[in-house]
Amino acid sequence: MNKDYRFEHKHILGIEQLSAADIFHILDTAISFKEISNRPIKKVPTLKGKTIINFFFEPSTRTRLSFEIAAKRMSADTFNIAASTSSATKGETLIDTARNLQAMSPDIIIIRHGSSGAPGLLTRHVGASIINAGDGTHEHPSQALLDVMTVREHKGKIEGLNIAIVGDIAHSRVAHSDILAFAKLGAKVRVAGPATFMPAMVESLGAQACASVAEAVSDADVVMALRIQKERQDDPLIPSLREYSQFYGINRTLLDKYARPDALIMHPGPINRGVEMNPDVADGAGSVILEQVTNGVAVRMALLYLVMGQEGAE
Ligand code: CP
């Protein structure tokens, strides 16, 4: 690490804004925090007195809970607000809601929203740090960081690895952030999925579009499957789930034939078992799916800590 390096991000909006040095700094910080979760008393005073609001407009299990656990392990005061029980249901705009949250002096607002760009919009209207917990089809940066952390723990590096991402690339903010993160760190990212799930500009993100899953998975060090994002599709974009599973589902036969024997099996969750991934793969050799969740707490502790180091910055 360059001795002049400084982490200078008050907000975490996407992988796009992070350099490779930023990503490694976040990962190294996360590693240093990871052992706190294994202590008998899982709490440090690092963020004592800080107020963190989790504001989720879309459902979440892993991201919302792990941000809350991360904040509590660092002694911050955390508050959760869901769109369905907020005054957004009475017609209040996102900006008005955010300005009202700001009036209660939070230090960090973590937001998940169905509209791409919503977290970036908030940075122009509130003084708190904003962390993007997933915005539309745009980015899910903390997911990509925990994915990179998990791969680095197992493989000892990212540069030179073959990463296969299979499924609904077009509607997946996880795919977008993962492609950007792995490509920035020097991995070769290959993607595959039905034509209706492939964004036109995928190569500009740093991925190679493959004609088949077999091609994407060939010699892969990592195989990641993605859920079909039905909530972001007005009309069905595939003929049937049975056919999708047959042609694009990750199964043991496919892995044994094409992937490296020590390939890691990943999924950001939630999994639709038997659709994008067979249960024996999700629970079998090489699966690190639950390690991804464990690392999510450490990565989110690191993000909360690092953005709080930017207090006073604009
Ligand atoms: N990976 C992920 O974002 O999961 P949740 O939707 O449960 O947060």
Side-chain angles (χ1 to χ4, degrees):
M1 179 74 66
N2 181 338
K3 68 177 173 42
D4 296 325
Y5 170 81
R6 281 183 46 147
F7 186 85
E8 290 182 331
H9 298 275
K10 177 180 176 184
H11 310 290
I12 304 293
L13 300 180
I15 298 296
E16 193 178 354
Q17 291 85 19
L18 300 176
S19 66
D22 291 327
I23 295 173
F24 282 126
H25 186 64
I26 293 166
L27 299 188
D28 290 343
T29 307
I31 289 165
S32 73
F33 284 138
K34 189 172 174 179
E35 61 83 22
I36 294 167
S37 294
N38 297 325
R39 293 182 190 176
I41 297 173
K42 303 173 178 62
K43 212 179 234 328
V44 292
T46 314
L47 295 183
K48 193 169 171 58
K50 300 298 180 192
T51 300
I52 299 178
I53 296 177
N54 263 321
F55 192 18
F56 276 56
F57 282 76
E58 291 187 330
S60 170
T61 297
R62 283 148 285 268
T63 311
R64 196 197 63 72
L65 193 57
S66 61
F67 265 120
E68 185 176 0
I69 289 174
K72 287 194 159 127
R73 291 206 172 143
M74 304 183 90
S75 302
D77 297 313
T78 64
F79 303 89
N80 295 304
I81 174 168
S84 58
T85 54
S86 78
S87 288
T89 59
K90 302 176 201 163
E92 190 166 53
T93 66
L94 175 63
I95 292 170
D96 275 339
T97 303
R99 290 173 69 195
N100 279 270
L101 296 184
Q102 183 63 45
M104 296 178 238
S105 305
D107 297 288
I108 303 174
I109 298 174
I110 298 157
I111 179 167
R112 170 171 287 192
H113 200 282
S115 296
S116 300
L121 179 69
L122 290 200
T123 64
R124 300 200 285 278
H125 295 276
V126 302
S129 285
I130 301 294
I131 298 183
N132 179 5
D135 62 329
T137 59
H138 176 224
E139 282 230 36
H140 191 347
S142 60
Q143 178 70 45
L145 291 164
L146 72 89
D147 289 342
V148 172
M149 177 175 174
T150 306
V151 173
R152 190 176 178 227
E153 277 184 341
H154 279 270
K155 301 293 182 189
K157 61 172 187 175
I158 300 297
E159 191 169 8
L161 295 180
N162 291 326
I163 314 285
I165 305 179
V166 178
D168 185 358
I169 310 296
H171 304 98
S172 169
R173 52 201 178 204
V174 174
H176 296 158
S177 290
D178 268 324
I179 292 169
L180 288 170
F182 282 110
K184 268 185 193 191
L185 302 187
K188 183 174 172 185
V189 185
R190 290 182 296 211
V191 296
T196 47
F197 285 174
M198 292 297 282
M201 305 294 281
V202 69
E203 310 228 332
S204 69
L205 293 174
Q208 177 197 335
C210 296
S212 67
V213 177
E215 184 187 344
V217 167
S218 287
D219 274 335
D221 299 285
V222 173
V223 178
M224 182 185 299
L226 299 173
R227 180 178 67 84
I228 299 170
Q229 306 270 307
K230 285 187 194 150
E231 67 272 31
R232 302 187 208 293
Q233 300 166 24
D234 294 332
D235 298 310
L237 294 177
I238 52 168
S240 78
L241 287 183
R242 195 164 57 84
E243 279 177 329
Y244 179 83
S245 168
Q246 189 181 337
F247 290 107
Y248 297 100
I250 304 298
N251 59 59
R252 187 52 63 189
T253 308
L254 175 88
L255 293 172
D256 288 347
K257 191 164 176 191
Y258 295 106
R260 295 202 174 178
D262 59 351
L264 300 179
I265 307 302
M266 303 182 75
H267 194 303
I271 303 176
N272 288 126
R273 289 169 177 263
V275 179
E276 68 266 19
M277 182 178 279
N278 281 1
D280 63 323
V281 173
D283 303 327
S287 174
V288 293
I289 293 169
L290 293 179
E291 289 180 47
Q292 291 173 259
V293 178
T294 300
N295 284 338
V297 175
V299 157
R300 287 163 181 136
M301 288 171 83
L303 292 177
L304 298 175
Y305 170 75
L306 290 169
V307 298
M308 279 295 84
Q310 307 304 311
E311 274 183 307
E314 277 312 308

